[in-house]
């Protein structure tokens, strides 16, 4: 009897080991990324929280229990919000018991993989300075009620972003066989596909005539047109990066250009302007840094030819879209008044600003419980004063140093294109003060730059996570 029990236990152990190894390999494949993407889109489109959130939570738990690297969890971490189809949180809370599974699984992941000494990294102290100044902003001038109202946002924007940096820095597996930028870019590509599908489904469901698109405020649940365009600037650029360094580059080229097209459909004026600037730079880089420039140029020519054919076929509808976009004009949407107000706050409270919880006359406090000045510069000086400005200058200086220390690297150049679009847009919008996903993704890309080798970038041709040497 005892040998039989022992044999059965051994079989169970072997079966579990095989299952664990299968999942560990599976989460590095496109099939895993596609699976998570499909469930996200289906859960969002059907507005079925029990299906979407529950299944994604179970998949994330399996990944946490088996993974020895945080990288394949990126799609779970930054794609989780994309299943949110409504701003009515009560509709999503019905599945909270399932979400409780994530906590113990996350603990297992941390305990199992916490094997090396803690290392701060280049961005740790600059982000820590930002985190501290976000808490100090408005000290001595803001009321306790206003300070408390904005405190959750300040904590997540500061220490939450810092936590993501520490987690990736500590649990990102490094070895010579792994092309980390390529896998991260593939995750971003799939996230961009999800966002594009959700935007297009929203537009189709709306039934709004093309001529009235400029008056419609697209909202997919987890974000509005500005949030959508900001996210797509990040995803589309890295999709074009893949077109330069992967086989079958024309596929990634097409997917990336579709994402840029969806920025146009978002009707976010700032997103369109800076998305176009970022997109042109990334498109040029996709040719310059491609191993087969001739093939890349041919692919671009074919795609542009296809666009021309589609334009000729659907000329009236496309002209209606363009006309609708032009109808929106180039007004400031009240931002000028906000910038003046921020400058007045800075003059009145130059040392630590008016604080994130400040309430003014030109903006209504929304779900994030803070007052938006809709500009990185004016938000910093108005809310955080000279001290905040110093902290952010340090933060941006370190990021720039990480970027330019190896600027000939293909990945660095594409990140430059993306950051130009993102930071440019954020000078007229609120993107840099949205912690998740914006600033958490930005600091992860900064970490990936930090890990780049100073040698010339290799041409990564494998479609999986492994590197061809």
């Amino acid at each position: 009897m005892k040998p039989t029990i022992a044999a059965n236990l051994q079989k169970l152990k072997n079966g579990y080991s095989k299952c664990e190894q299968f999942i560990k390999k599976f989460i590095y494949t496109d099939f895993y990324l596609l699976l998570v993407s499909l469930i996200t889109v289906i859960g969002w489109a059907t507005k079925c929280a029990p299906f979407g959130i529950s299944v994604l939570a179970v998949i994330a738990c399996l990944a946490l229990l088996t993974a020895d690297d945080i990288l394949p969890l990126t799609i779970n971490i930054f794609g989780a919000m994309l299943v949110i189809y409504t701003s009515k949180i009560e509709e999503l809370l019905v599945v909270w018991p399932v979400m409780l599974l994530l906590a113990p699984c996350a603990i297992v992941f941390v305990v199992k993989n916490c094997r090396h000494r803690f290392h701060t990294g280049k961005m740790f102290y600059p982000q820590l300075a930002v985190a501290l100044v976000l808490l100090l902003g408005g000290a001595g001038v803001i009321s306790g009620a206003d300070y408390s109202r904005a405190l959750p946002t300040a904590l997540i924007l500061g220490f939450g972003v810092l936590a993501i940096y520490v987690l990736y820095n500590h649990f990102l597996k490094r070895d010579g066989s792994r092309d980390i930028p390529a896998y991260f870019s593939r995750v971003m590509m799939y996230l961009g596909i999800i966002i594009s599908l959700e935007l297009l489904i929203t537009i189709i469901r709306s039934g709004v005539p093309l001529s009235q698109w400029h008056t419609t405020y697209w909202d997919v649940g987890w974000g509005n047109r500005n949030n959508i365009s900001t996210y797509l600037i990040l995803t589309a650029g890295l999709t074009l990066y893949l077109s330069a360094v992967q086989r079958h580059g024309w596929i990634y080229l097409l997917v990336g250009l579709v994402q840029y097209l969806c920025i146009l459909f978002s009707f976010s004026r700032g997103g369109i302007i800076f998305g176009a600037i970022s997109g042109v730079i990334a498109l040029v880089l996709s040719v310059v840094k491609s191993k087969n420039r001739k093939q890349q140029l041919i692919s671009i020519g074919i795609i542009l030819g296809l666009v021309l054919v589609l334009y000729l076929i659907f000329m009236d509808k496309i002209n209606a879209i363009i006309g609708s976009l032009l109808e929106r004009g180039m007004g400031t949407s009240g931002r000028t008044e906000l910038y003046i107000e921020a400058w007045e706050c800075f003059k009145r409270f130059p040392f630590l600003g008016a604080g994130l919880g400040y309430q003014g006359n030109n903006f209504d406090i929304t779900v994030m419980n803070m007052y938006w000045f809709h500009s990185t510069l004016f938000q910093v000086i108005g809310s955080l004063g000279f001290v905040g400005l110093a902290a952010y200058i340090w933060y941006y200086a370190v990021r720039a140093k990480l970027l330019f220390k190896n600027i000939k690297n293909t990945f660095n150049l594409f990140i430059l294109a993306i950051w130009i679009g993102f930071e440019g847009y954020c000078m007229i919008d609120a993107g840099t003060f949205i912690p998740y996903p914006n600033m958490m993704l930005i600091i992860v890309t900064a970490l990936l730059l930090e890990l780049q080798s100073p040698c010339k970038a290799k041409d990564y041709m494998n479609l999986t996570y492994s590197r061809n040497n």
Side-chain angles (χ1 to χ4, degrees), residues 173-246:
K173 190 174 181 180
R174 289 100 149 159
D175 62 56
S177 65
R178 297 175 185 270
D179 180 7
I180 296 173
Y183 184 87
F184 179 80
S185 299
R186 297 184 75 76
V187 171
M188 294 298 287
M189 178 188 70
Y190 279 98
L191 293 176
I193 292 172
I194 295 171
I195 296 165
S196 299
L197 287 173
E198 291 182 353
L199 174 61
L200 294 175
I201 291 170
T202 298
I203 293 173
I204 292 169
R205 283 177 172 176
S206 72
V208 176
L210 296 178
S211 60
Q212 298 178 20
W213 280 14
H214 70 286
T215 63
T216 307
Y217 195 71
W218 306 127
D219 193 318
V220 294
W222 55 264
N224 58 37
R225 62 190 175 207
N226 294 335
N227 305 126
I228 293 168
S229 60
T230 302
Y231 213 153
L232 286 175
I233 287 173
L234 299 174
T235 65
L238 285 176
T239 305
L240 290 192
Y241 163 74
L242 291 173
S243 77
V245 301
Q246 298 281 320

